[in-house]
């Protein structure tokens, strides 16, 4: 039985900070995709609300996501993005069928 699960992270930039947030999010893609347990890590932008970004993720298990959260690149992102993010939400999803 697989313990893999999906994650949707929603990040909304502060007014005037869309480009800065996009740059920071793009910087997470390559190092995260190389992490053990990362099966998918894709950045999307809302067409109607371009200040809103979604990271669609798939992790092999909870430990892999926990390791990701503690990685140097995520810690650096948090420091750099603190002034450009208005809203952040993370949802863990279980695939049913």
């Amino acid at each position: 039985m697989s313990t893999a699960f999906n994650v949707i992270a929603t990040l909304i930039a502060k007014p005037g900070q869309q480009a800065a947030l996009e740059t920071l999010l793009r910087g997470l893609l390559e190092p995260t995709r190389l992490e053990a347990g990362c099966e998918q890590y894709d950045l999307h932008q809302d067409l109607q609300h371009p200040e809103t970004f979604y990271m669609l993720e798939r992790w092999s298990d909870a430990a892999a996501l926990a390791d990701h959260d503690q990685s140097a690149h995520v810690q650096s992102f948090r420091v750099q993005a603190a002034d450009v993010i208005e809203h952040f939400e993370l949802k863990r999803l279980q695939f049913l069928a």
Side-chain angles (χ1 to χ4, degrees), residues 2-3 18 32-33 45 56 58:
S2 174
T3 59
Q18 172 186 326
T32 298
R33 288 173 177 162
Q45 185 176 28
L56 304 181
R58 182 159 177 84

Side-chain angles (χ1 to χ4, degrees), residues 35-79:
E35 291 178 40
C38 178
E39 298 176 5
Q40 177 185 359
Y41 199 78
D42 298 323
L43 178 61
H44 297 265
Q45 185 176 28
D46 192 310
L47 291 173
Q48 292 184 319
H49 303 281
E51 71 282 359
T52 302
F53 297 90
Y54 301 96
M55 197 66 79
L56 304 181
E57 310 172 24
R58 182 159 177 84
W59 295 95
S60 61
D61 55 40
L65 179 58
D67 289 346
H68 167 69
D69 287 341
Q70 296 304 312
S71 68
H73 54 275
V74 169
Q75 295 301 315
S76 177
F77 168 82
R78 287 186 177 133
V79 170

Side-chain angles (χ1 to χ4, degrees), residues 8-14 21 25 28 41 43-44 49-55 57 77 81 84-90:
I8 298 176
T10 303
L11 302 100
I12 301 174
K14 289 181 179 179
L21 180 55
L25 290 169
L28 291 174
Y41 199 78
L43 178 61
H44 297 265
H49 303 281
E51 71 282 359
T52 302
F53 297 90
Y54 301 96
M55 197 66 79
E57 310 172 24
F77 168 82
V84 301
I85 293 178
E86 181 174 291
H87 174 78
F88 172 78
E89 182 178 5
L90 185 82

